Amino acid sequence: MTNPVSSPSSSEFVDRRNSAAKGNVSVDRRQFGSSYDSLSDEGREFALAIDNYKVQHGRRFINFDEMLDVLRSLGYRRP
């Protein structure tokens, strides 16, 4: 008697997402990746600062408090 769990057939689903991610750790998607050209100088600086924050902290997305920290690091203050 064979165990179907230990010997997967060709029709069974195999989740390869985790194994694919391990082999290519440096690939990371950016929120503003292809839109830098259409941004103002300040917008480009802000987008780059957010991207740098995400890389430094290993985050794909950031929350509003983290975005506020990025804005403050660029010198923006509430009047």
Side-chain angles (χ1 to χ4, degrees):
M1 180 176 201
T2 61
N3 184 350
V5 175
S6 63
S7 58
S9 68
S10 61
S11 64
E12 289 184 38
F13 175 76
V14 178
D15 187 359
R16 294 185 176 94
R17 289 177 291 185
N18 290 335
S19 62
K22 291 177 187 175
N24 201 355
V25 177
S26 65
V27 174
D28 195 11
R29 297 166 75 183
R30 299 287 178 258
Q31 181 176 354
F32 301 109
S34 62
S35 61
Y36 288 134
D37 294 338
S38 64
L39 295 174
S40 65
D41 289 340
E42 289 177 335
R44 187 175 304 108
E45 180 184 17
F46 181 51
L48 288 169
I50 287 177
D51 281 349
N52 287 333
Y53 181 93
K54 291 194 288 186
V55 168
Q56 288 174 357
H57 294 89
R59 301 288 304 269
R60 186 169 175 191
F61 302 102
I62 62 173
N63 62 38
F64 288 111
D65 284 329
E66 291 169 316
M67 190 179 302
L68 183 58
D69 289 340
V70 172
L71 282 169
R72 288 179 177 153
S73 75
L74 293 173
Y76 289 95
R77 299 286 180 253
R78 186 175 183 180

XYZ file of all heavy atoms in Angstrom:
633
model
N 0.835 -1.170 0.000
C 0.000 0.000 0.000
C 0.890 1.247 0.000
O 1.799 1.370 0.798
C -0.887 -0.024 1.239
C -1.792 1.140 1.358
S -2.825 0.858 2.810
C -4.122 1.923 2.421
N 0.632 2.191 -0.905
C 1.448 3.394 -0.988
C 0.735 4.549 -0.311
O -0.485 4.617 -0.278
C 1.722 3.780 -2.454
O 0.480 4.038 -3.082
C 2.480 2.685 -3.160
N 1.524 5.469 0.191
C 0.990 6.643 0.856
C 0.973 7.794 -0.152
O 2.013 8.204 -0.633
C 1.882 6.978 2.059
C 1.330 8.138 2.858
O 0.399 8.815 2.441
N 1.910 8.350 4.026
N -0.213 8.354 -0.504
C -0.271 9.419 -1.511
C 0.427 10.700 -1.086
O 0.847 11.475 -1.908
C -1.769 9.651 -1.705
C -2.436 9.090 -0.513
C -1.522 8.013 0.021
N 0.584 10.925 0.200
C 1.249 12.144 0.668
C 2.744 12.067 0.427
O 3.376 13.041 0.048
C 0.952 12.371 2.174
C 1.725 13.560 2.684
C -0.540 12.554 2.394
N 3.341 10.918 0.597
C 4.791 10.798 0.463
C 5.254 10.669 -0.983
O 6.406 10.866 -1.275
C 5.305 9.608 1.279
O 4.753 8.424 0.750
N 4.353 10.332 -1.893
C 4.737 10.220 -3.298
C 3.784 11.029 -4.166
O 2.793 10.522 -4.659
C 4.734 8.753 -3.728
O 3.446 8.211 -3.517
N 4.063 12.337 -4.330
C 3.147 13.197 -5.078
C 3.076 12.810 -6.549
O 4.073 12.467 -7.164
C 3.734 14.594 -4.912
C 5.151 14.380 -4.567
C 5.238 13.050 -3.881
N 1.881 12.870 -7.086
C 1.707 12.597 -8.506
C 1.909 13.885 -9.290
O 2.008 14.967 -8.723
C 0.308 12.029 -8.760
O -0.657 13.035 -8.526
N 1.933 13.794 -10.586
C 2.163 14.975 -11.421
C 0.987 15.938 -11.398
O 1.119 17.086 -11.788
C 2.459 14.543 -12.853
O 1.342 13.843 -13.372
N -0.179 15.501 -10.927
C -1.348 16.378 -10.917
C -1.504 17.128 -9.595
O -2.375 17.970 -9.480
C -2.610 15.565 -11.193
O -2.810 14.632 -10.153
N -0.662 16.848 -8.598
C -0.771 17.519 -7.308
C -0.119 18.888 -7.359
O 0.863 19.100 -8.053
C -0.121 16.679 -6.214
C -0.915 15.444 -5.876
C -0.299 14.691 -4.724
O 0.196 15.334 -3.789
O -0.326 13.450 -4.776
N -0.665 19.809 -6.576
C -0.130 21.166 -6.495
C 1.160 21.178 -5.681
O 1.220 20.589 -4.612
C -1.153 22.096 -5.845
C -0.644 23.483 -5.617
C -0.520 24.372 -6.665
C -0.261 23.893 -4.357
C -0.042 25.645 -6.460
C 0.222 25.158 -4.150
C 0.322 26.047 -5.202
N 2.173 21.825 -6.193
C 3.434 22.000 -5.478
C 3.688 23.491 -5.354
O 3.807 24.198 -6.352
C 4.603 21.313 -6.225
C 5.910 21.558 -5.492
C 4.325 19.838 -6.398
N 3.754 23.982 -4.119
C 3.989 25.398 -3.867
C 5.490 25.664 -3.903
O 6.224 25.238 -3.025
C 3.409 25.781 -2.516
C 3.470 27.276 -2.243
O 3.977 28.022 -3.102
O 3.006 27.693 -1.173
N 5.948 26.388 -4.902
C 7.380 26.642 -5.080
C 7.774 28.067 -4.704
O 8.903 28.464 -4.907
C 7.769 26.367 -6.535
C 7.640 24.917 -6.910
C 8.165 24.690 -8.322
N 8.124 23.295 -8.663
C 7.120 22.703 -9.301
N 6.085 23.399 -9.677
N 7.155 21.420 -9.570
N 6.840 28.830 -4.159
C 7.145 30.228 -3.844
C 8.270 30.361 -2.838
O 9.162 31.183 -3.006
C 5.895 30.934 -3.319
C 4.863 31.156 -4.398
C 3.647 31.777 -3.828
N 3.006 30.775 -2.965
C 1.848 30.945 -2.365
N 1.201 32.069 -2.504
N 1.327 30.005 -1.615
N 8.257 29.601 -1.776
C 9.296 29.719 -0.753
C 10.664 29.318 -1.269
O 11.654 29.954 -0.971
C 8.927 28.886 0.471
C 7.757 29.490 1.219
O 7.525 30.681 1.140
N 7.013 28.665 1.926
N 10.738 28.262 -2.062
C 12.040 27.834 -2.571
C 12.585 28.813 -3.597
O 13.773 29.040 -3.679
C 11.950 26.427 -3.170
O 11.048 26.420 -4.264
N 11.721 29.451 -4.376
C 12.170 30.432 -5.371
C 12.681 31.696 -4.688
O 13.649 32.299 -5.121
C 11.031 30.777 -6.326
N 12.047 32.087 -3.610
C 12.457 33.299 -2.907
C 13.822 33.127 -2.241
O 14.595 34.065 -2.156
C 11.410 33.670 -1.866
N 14.125 31.939 -1.770
C 15.402 31.706 -1.102
C 16.578 31.874 -2.048
O 17.630 32.335 -1.658
C 15.433 30.299 -0.508
C 14.506 30.122 0.654
C 14.540 28.693 1.144
C 13.492 28.441 2.200
N 13.425 27.052 2.607
N 16.400 31.533 -3.309
C 17.500 31.585 -4.254
C 17.804 32.971 -4.765
O 18.865 33.236 -5.286
N 16.866 33.913 -4.616
C 17.049 35.252 -5.173
C 16.607 36.291 -4.156
O 15.626 36.983 -4.355
C 16.263 35.373 -6.481
C 16.784 36.492 -7.343
O 17.668 37.239 -6.930
N 16.237 36.622 -8.520
N 17.372 36.444 -3.083
C 17.002 37.306 -1.978
C 17.127 38.780 -2.347
O 16.382 39.605 -1.864
C 17.873 36.987 -0.740
C 17.571 37.919 0.395
C 17.655 35.542 -0.334
N 18.029 39.142 -3.237
C 18.288 40.549 -3.525
C 17.210 41.216 -4.372
O 17.181 42.423 -4.467
C 19.636 40.694 -4.222
O 19.596 40.067 -5.483
N 16.331 40.452 -4.980
C 15.275 41.045 -5.801
C 14.200 41.607 -4.898
O 13.670 40.921 -4.048
C 14.671 40.001 -6.761
C 13.484 40.586 -7.501
C 15.714 39.504 -7.722
N 13.890 42.891 -5.071
C 12.881 43.535 -4.263
C 12.123 44.517 -5.133
O 12.715 45.250 -5.910
C 13.545 44.263 -3.101
C 12.561 44.661 -2.025
O 11.402 44.197 -2.059
O 12.957 45.425 -1.134
N 10.811 44.523 -5.007
C 9.990 45.412 -5.820
C 9.856 46.752 -5.122
O 9.707 46.827 -3.918
C 8.627 44.782 -6.043
C 8.750 43.489 -6.817
C 7.501 42.700 -6.749
N 6.490 43.286 -7.599
C 5.257 42.817 -7.684
N 4.897 41.790 -6.977
N 4.379 43.386 -8.474
N 9.891 47.804 -5.887
C 9.785 49.147 -5.344
C 8.431 49.755 -5.687
O 7.917 49.584 -6.771
C 10.875 50.057 -5.920
C 12.263 49.597 -5.595
C 12.556 49.879 -4.125
N 13.868 49.407 -3.800
C 14.112 48.284 -3.162
N 13.133 47.514 -2.782
N 15.324 47.896 -2.896
N 7.902 50.538 -4.758
C 6.607 51.162 -4.948
C 6.643 52.162 -6.094
O 5.713 52.253 -6.868
C 6.197 51.861 -3.657
C 4.842 52.521 -3.737
C 4.454 53.120 -2.414
O 5.143 52.947 -1.423
N 3.361 53.820 -2.380
N 7.698 52.933 -6.219
C 7.781 53.985 -7.219
C 8.716 53.617 -8.369
O 9.154 54.476 -9.103
C 8.291 55.285 -6.587
C 7.425 55.793 -5.474
C 7.851 55.747 -4.165
C 6.174 56.315 -5.738
C 7.068 56.218 -3.141
C 5.377 56.792 -4.713
C 5.823 56.746 -3.414
N 9.044 52.354 -8.520
C 10.083 51.886 -9.423
C 10.147 52.504 -10.791
O 11.195 52.924 -11.241
N 9.064 52.612 -11.512
C 9.142 53.076 -12.893
C 8.641 54.501 -13.072
O 8.536 54.985 -14.190
C 8.326 52.136 -13.796
O 6.972 52.172 -13.404
N 8.333 55.210 -11.997
C 7.739 56.532 -12.158
C 8.648 57.682 -11.737
O 8.193 58.793 -11.590
C 6.421 56.600 -11.369
O 6.669 56.393 -9.999
N 9.929 57.433 -11.536
C 10.837 58.503 -11.129
C 10.921 59.624 -12.163
O 11.055 60.779 -11.810
C 12.247 57.969 -10.879
C 12.404 57.143 -9.620
C 13.083 55.950 -9.655
C 11.893 57.565 -8.418
C 13.250 55.189 -8.514
C 12.049 56.824 -7.264
C 12.728 55.634 -7.322
O 12.887 54.900 -6.193
N 10.860 59.293 -13.432
C 11.031 60.300 -14.483
C 9.937 61.362 -14.472
O 10.181 62.509 -14.832
C 11.077 59.633 -15.857
C 12.296 58.751 -16.033
O 13.295 58.964 -15.310
O 12.242 57.849 -16.880
N 8.732 60.993 -14.085
C 7.621 61.940 -14.122
C 7.484 62.741 -12.832
O 6.611 63.603 -12.745
C 6.314 61.198 -14.401
O 6.031 60.300 -13.340
N 8.340 62.500 -11.859
C 8.237 63.190 -10.575
C 9.025 64.494 -10.579
O 9.999 64.645 -11.303
C 8.772 62.302 -9.450
C 8.006 61.021 -9.168
C 8.744 60.192 -8.126
C 6.600 61.318 -8.701
N 8.582 65.421 -9.724
C 9.350 66.642 -9.507
C 10.632 66.272 -8.765
O 10.791 65.142 -8.291
C 8.528 67.623 -8.664
O 8.319 67.085 -7.363
N 11.539 67.213 -8.627
C 12.781 66.950 -7.902
C 12.492 66.536 -6.460
O 13.087 65.590 -5.947
C 13.696 68.172 -7.918
C 14.287 68.435 -9.292
O 14.307 67.505 -10.126
O 14.736 69.571 -9.529
N 11.549 67.243 -5.808
C 11.194 66.898 -4.428
C 10.496 65.553 -4.351
O 10.721 64.769 -3.427
C 10.310 67.988 -3.820
C 11.054 69.274 -3.536
C 10.138 70.355 -2.999
O 8.919 70.314 -3.279
O 10.640 71.239 -2.299
N 9.638 65.272 -5.317
C 8.956 63.983 -5.354
C 9.929 62.835 -5.548
O 9.802 61.781 -4.921
N 10.922 63.040 -6.402
C 11.944 62.022 -6.644
C 12.774 61.787 -5.379
O 13.062 60.655 -5.013
C 12.843 62.444 -7.803
C 13.825 61.382 -8.249
C 14.620 61.805 -9.483
N 13.742 62.170 -10.600
C 13.559 63.416 -11.035
N 14.208 64.421 -10.490
N 12.739 63.661 -12.045
N 13.140 62.882 -4.696
C 13.895 62.761 -3.452
C 13.096 61.976 -2.409
O 13.633 61.106 -1.720
C 14.232 64.156 -2.916
C 15.009 64.142 -1.615
C 15.252 65.538 -1.053
O 14.575 66.504 -1.474
O 16.113 65.637 -0.154
N 11.791 62.261 -2.302
C 10.926 61.567 -1.356
C 10.799 60.078 -1.710
O 10.917 59.212 -0.843
C 9.553 62.242 -1.332
C 8.569 61.628 -0.382
C 8.898 61.398 0.944
C 7.305 61.289 -0.815
C 7.979 60.836 1.820
C 6.376 60.729 0.049
C 6.713 60.508 1.374
N 10.592 59.781 -2.989
C 10.467 58.389 -3.429
C 11.744 57.609 -3.153
O 11.701 56.468 -2.675
C 10.120 58.342 -4.920
N 12.881 58.208 -3.434
C 14.159 57.546 -3.157
C 14.366 57.326 -1.661
O 14.879 56.293 -1.245
C 15.320 58.357 -3.741
C 15.449 58.325 -5.265
C 16.466 59.363 -5.745
C 15.836 56.932 -5.732
N 13.953 58.309 -0.852
C 14.078 58.167 0.601
C 13.201 57.025 1.106
O 13.617 56.253 1.978
C 13.712 59.479 1.296
N 12.001 56.895 0.560
C 11.124 55.791 0.946
C 11.741 54.460 0.523
O 11.766 53.491 1.289
C 9.713 55.966 0.358
C 8.977 57.084 1.094
C 8.923 54.662 0.437
C 7.601 57.397 0.558
N 12.242 54.396 -0.712
C 12.887 53.164 -1.172
C 14.077 52.798 -0.290
O 14.261 51.636 0.076
C 13.336 53.287 -2.622
C 12.197 53.097 -3.598
O 11.104 52.671 -3.174
O 12.409 53.358 -4.793
N 14.895 53.771 0.075
C 16.045 53.507 0.944
C 15.587 53.015 2.316
O 16.184 52.101 2.875
C 16.912 54.759 1.089
C 17.685 55.054 -0.171
O 17.995 54.157 -0.943
N 17.998 56.321 -0.380
N 14.517 53.612 2.840
C 13.978 53.176 4.127
C 13.529 51.719 4.045
O 13.805 50.922 4.939
C 12.794 54.070 4.525
C 12.192 53.696 5.859
C 12.612 54.310 7.023
C 11.202 52.717 5.952
C 12.076 53.974 8.252
C 10.659 52.366 7.171
C 11.093 52.995 8.317
O 10.556 52.643 9.537
N 12.832 51.373 2.963
C 12.344 50.003 2.809
C 13.493 49.008 2.724
O 13.423 47.921 3.304
C 11.438 49.893 1.574
C 10.122 50.634 1.768
C 9.069 50.290 0.754
C 9.269 50.787 -0.601
N 8.150 50.555 -1.513
N 14.558 49.364 2.035
C 15.713 48.473 1.920
C 16.400 48.321 3.278
O 16.716 47.217 3.709
C 16.702 48.988 0.854
C 18.020 48.242 0.926
C 16.091 48.869 -0.534
N 16.618 49.436 3.967
C 17.304 49.412 5.262
C 16.542 48.600 6.304
O 17.145 47.949 7.155
C 17.505 50.827 5.799
C 18.551 51.616 5.055
C 18.616 53.056 5.537
O 17.844 53.482 6.395
N 19.521 53.817 4.959
N 15.220 48.640 6.244
C 14.398 47.983 7.258
C 13.765 46.681 6.765
O 12.975 46.068 7.492
C 13.319 48.946 7.755
C 13.876 50.119 8.486
N 14.248 51.289 7.856
C 14.163 50.295 9.795
C 14.716 52.124 8.743
N 14.685 51.559 9.934
N 14.110 46.264 5.551
C 13.596 45.007 5.026
C 12.090 44.983 4.869
O 11.442 43.971 5.114
N 11.529 46.100 4.462
C 10.080 46.216 4.347
C 9.682 46.379 2.892
O 10.319 47.107 2.137
C 9.577 47.450 5.116
C 9.886 47.466 6.588
C 9.053 46.481 7.368
N 7.624 46.672 7.187
C 6.855 47.431 7.938
N 7.373 48.077 8.945
N 5.574 47.550 7.685
N 8.629 45.726 2.481
C 8.099 45.905 1.127
C 7.128 47.075 1.094
O 7.047 47.813 0.118
C 7.414 44.630 0.672
C 6.980 44.686 -0.754
C 6.548 43.349 -1.244
N 6.033 43.456 -2.591
C 5.387 42.500 -3.199
N 5.185 41.356 -2.589
N 4.950 42.664 -4.405
N 6.370 47.241 2.163
C 5.430 48.354 2.301
C 5.678 49.006 3.642
O 6.130 48.367 4.582
C 3.984 47.853 2.239
C 3.661 47.125 0.974
C 3.601 45.749 0.949
C 3.435 47.822 -0.208
C 3.313 45.067 -0.213
C 3.150 47.154 -1.377
C 3.087 45.769 -1.382
N 5.375 50.301 3.726
C 5.533 51.002 4.999
C 4.193 51.581 5.422
O 3.316 51.814 4.591
C 6.616 52.100 4.926
C 6.261 53.187 3.917
C 7.970 51.498 4.610
C 7.212 54.382 3.927
N 4.058 51.830 6.717
C 2.821 52.421 7.213
C 2.978 53.947 7.280
O 4.039 54.496 6.977
C 2.416 51.803 8.549
C 3.431 52.039 9.642
O 4.032 53.111 9.735
N 3.631 51.041 10.490
N 1.926 54.630 7.694
C 1.950 56.090 7.694
C 2.946 56.669 8.702
O 3.570 57.704 8.439
C 0.545 56.651 7.962
C -0.383 56.456 6.797
C -1.444 55.578 6.885
C -0.183 57.140 5.607
C -2.295 55.394 5.809
C -1.030 56.963 4.531
C -2.086 56.082 4.626
N 3.115 56.024 9.848
C 4.104 56.510 10.813
C 5.518 56.409 10.254
O 6.342 57.304 10.458
C 4.008 55.738 12.129
C 2.816 56.168 12.970
O 2.428 57.349 12.890
O 2.282 55.319 13.714
N 5.800 55.331 9.534
C 7.116 55.180 8.917
C 7.306 56.218 7.813
O 8.394 56.785 7.660
C 7.281 53.769 8.360
C 7.363 52.710 9.448
C 7.264 51.301 8.908
O 6.394 51.042 8.046
O 8.067 50.464 9.350
N 6.243 56.502 7.064
C 6.326 57.533 6.025
C 6.584 58.898 6.659
O 7.372 59.699 6.139
C 5.044 57.566 5.197
C 5.153 58.436 3.968
S 3.667 58.471 2.961
C 3.456 56.758 2.563
N 5.946 59.147 7.791
C 6.183 60.396 8.515
C 7.632 60.490 8.974
O 8.253 61.560 8.884
C 5.231 60.499 9.709
C 5.288 61.778 10.534
C 5.004 63.005 9.667
C 4.299 61.680 11.681
N 8.206 59.383 9.430
C 9.621 59.366 9.811
C 10.520 59.704 8.624
O 11.505 60.434 8.767
C 10.018 57.995 10.373
C 9.432 57.729 11.747
O 9.040 58.697 12.430
O 9.369 56.541 12.125
N 10.182 59.175 7.446
C 10.959 59.481 6.244
C 10.854 60.971 5.924
O 11.855 61.634 5.633
C 10.496 58.622 5.039
C 11.161 59.085 3.752
C 10.785 57.150 5.281
N 9.643 61.523 5.995
C 9.459 62.957 5.740
C 10.276 63.801 6.719
O 10.932 64.770 6.320
C 7.979 63.332 5.844
C 7.110 62.969 4.659
C 5.639 63.154 4.998
C 7.485 63.818 3.453
N 10.245 63.433 7.991
C 11.015 64.174 8.998
C 12.514 64.077 8.742
O 13.253 65.039 8.946
C 10.681 63.672 10.392
C 9.304 64.092 10.853
C 8.998 63.558 12.231
N 7.703 64.024 12.681
C 6.939 63.374 13.547
N 7.365 62.236 14.074
N 5.774 63.859 13.905
N 12.962 62.898 8.269
C 14.388 62.740 7.986
C 14.835 63.640 6.829
O 16.007 63.968 6.722
C 14.721 61.275 7.684
O 14.268 60.918 6.387
N 13.887 64.027 5.985
C 14.189 64.930 4.874
C 14.086 66.399 5.294
O 14.348 67.297 4.501
C 13.226 64.674 3.707
C 13.390 63.319 3.016
C 12.269 63.116 1.991
C 14.742 63.226 2.337
N 13.679 66.650 6.552
C 13.637 68.024 7.067
C 12.269 68.658 7.059
O 12.134 69.827 7.417
N 11.233 67.947 6.685
C 9.897 68.524 6.681
C 9.362 68.611 8.099
O 9.484 67.674 8.879
C 8.936 67.688 5.815
C 9.222 67.819 4.356
C 10.041 66.893 3.699
C 8.695 68.874 3.608
C 10.322 67.013 2.352
C 8.970 68.994 2.263
C 9.792 68.067 1.643
O 10.067 68.174 0.314
N 8.801 69.771 8.439
C 8.210 69.997 9.755
C 6.841 70.635 9.582
O 6.604 71.405 8.664
C 9.083 70.946 10.591
C 10.482 70.425 10.843
C 10.468 69.307 11.871
N 11.809 68.807 12.106
C 12.254 67.634 11.675
N 11.500 66.850 10.963
N 13.478 67.235 11.939
N 5.965 70.363 10.514
C 4.633 70.963 10.515
C 4.760 72.393 11.050
O 5.372 72.617 12.103
C 3.723 70.138 11.401
C 2.300 70.581 11.369
C 1.475 69.620 12.180
N 0.088 69.995 12.089
C -0.882 69.366 12.679
N -0.602 68.309 13.430
N -2.109 69.738 12.555
N 4.188 73.387 10.340
C 4.319 74.788 10.795
C 3.537 75.069 12.068
O 2.608 74.441 12.397
C 3.770 75.620 9.641
C 3.030 74.692 8.765
C 3.449 73.297 9.101
